[in-house]
Amino acid sequence: MYYLGLIGEYLKNYMKTRLTYRADFWVEIISDLLFQATNLIFIFVVFRHTDNLGGWSESEVLFVYGYFMVPYGIFSCFINLWGFSERYIVKGEMDRILTRPAHNLFQILLENVDPPALVGSFIGLIIMIFSGAEMGIVLEWWHIPALIILALSSVLIYAGIYTTLTSLSFYSDAPTGILPLMYNIQGYGRYPVTIYNRAIQVLLTWVIPFAFVGIYPAALFLDRSEMHRMALLTPVMGLVFAAIGLTLWNYGVKRYRGAGS
């Protein structure tokens, strides 16, 4: 209840700030919509020149992209670690965080919460609904519970990967350039992993498992039987990578000795 109360207080403060600068709020939403529209246009352009992409139809690729947007929107809203090194390590704000009773990572995530990012999740759901209807997918009783579990598991994968990389900041006071690179790599999860060569498939499945934030869980709803086992493995991957990220983060915090160190 203590942590739930903190979430409410941080969200109240966020809304107060946004109501003061309303134009920034709407600009952020519009820019996100334009970015998503660009990705959709790219898919439409590709399928103007081919009937399928590695054995996947246009509707299937759109469905995968729609699913990809759902966990990514949730992740972007609640787990924003961009610029952590410069703000909390270089400028010393980590000292302030460590003087408070709540877990340090929890505080940092709440301080950087970004609710407008959830718009992307709603758009993703709309894309899934329309593309699914075009393929004749009938809503089953298990679809909604499965979507919730798989989407949250995909969020945990995102959280684990980015928490692991962000924890490297505790070993150096210089901002790392790994996060922008990882941001570009995660884009591969928007499309069916089978369109890439074998090496990239292995990389996106077992090393940097962005295939589990897109194609594998989406394949469960598309009735792609060859990927059902991988789809069911999504919650396990989420828990494993989240545990790795949290462990490395806690270890890094123990090494932290203050802004002057």
Side-chain angles (χ1 to χ4, degrees):
M1 294 302 297
Y2 170 69
Y3 282 93
L4 290 177
L6 285 180
I7 294 175
E9 292 301 321
Y10 272 98
L11 289 177
K12 288 179 183 178
N13 291 333
Y14 173 87
M15 292 307 299
K16 291 177 181 178
T17 303
R18 285 304 188 181
L19 289 175
T20 304
Y21 303 99
R22 298 181 184 181
D24 292 343
F25 177 81
W26 291 110
V27 167
E28 184 176 351
I29 291 180
I30 293 174
S31 63
D32 185 63
L33 291 176
L34 291 175
F35 176 75
Q36 302 302 341
T38 302
N39 291 325
L40 285 175
I41 291 173
F42 173 76
I43 295 176
F44 291 137
V45 170
V46 169
F47 279 97
R48 295 291 78 81
H49 297 84
T50 182
D51 293 330
N52 68 83
L53 188 64
W56 296 78
S57 67
E58 180 179 22
S59 296
E60 288 177 320
V61 173
L62 286 173
F63 189 92
V64 172
Y65 180 72
Y67 174 85
F68 170 87
M69 293 177 63
V70 175
Y72 179 67
I74 299 173
F75 163 75
S76 299
C77 173
F78 295 103
I79 308 173
N80 184 3
L81 293 171
W82 202 266
F84 167 81
S85 179
E86 181 177 356
R87 176 179 176 183
Y88 291 94
I89 302 298
V90 177
K91 295 183 179 180
E93 291 195 32
M94 193 67 189
D95 294 357
R96 169 179 57 84
I97 294 294
L98 293 176
T99 60
R100 298 174 176 177
H103 191 274
N104 48 82
L105 180 58
F106 184 79
Q107 294 181 63
I108 292 170
L109 296 182
L110 286 182
E111 286 188 354
N112 296 278
V113 69
D114 186 24
L118 290 175
V119 173
S121 296
F122 289 114
I123 295 176
L125 288 173
I126 293 174
I127 294 174
M128 291 178 66
I129 292 172
F130 277 94
S131 57
E134 187 173 346
M135 291 182 288
I137 297 178
V138 179
L139 183 66
E140 302 286 348
W141 67 268
W142 57 270
H143 279 175
I144 294 179
L147 177 61
I148 294 174
I149 294 174
L150 292 175
L152 292 178
S153 300
S154 296
V155 172
L156 289 179
I157 292 174
Y158 275 124
I161 293 174
Y162 280 94
T163 301
T164 297
L165 296 177
T166 304
S167 66
L168 297 178
S169 300
F170 292 112
Y171 303 90
S172 172
D173 59 359
T176 174
I178 298 180
L179 292 185
L181 174 63
M182 195 59 56
Y183 179 81
N184 292 326
I185 294 176
Q186 77 182 21
Y188 287 92
R190 302 170 185 164
Y191 311 107
V193 71
T194 53
I195 69 176
Y196 309 122
N197 63 46
R198 184 61 181 171
I200 295 179
Q201 290 183 38
V202 173
L203 176 69
L204 295 177
T205 300
W206 304 115
V207 182
I208 311 173
F210 286 127
F212 288 96
V213 303
I215 179 58
Y216 289 146
L220 185 66
F221 305 99
L222 295 173
D223 199 24
R224 286 270 183 165
S225 58
E226 71 275 17
M227 292 186 176
H228 280 182
R229 290 184 179 180
M230 301 303 289
L232 297 177
L233 190 60
T234 303
V236 177
M237 295 295 287
L239 292 174
V240 169
F241 274 81
I244 292 174
L246 185 58
T247 299
L248 293 177
W249 175 276
N250 288 333
Y251 182 75
V253 171
K254 291 180 180 178
R255 289 177 55 92
Y256 181 74
R257 293 295 180 267
S261 62

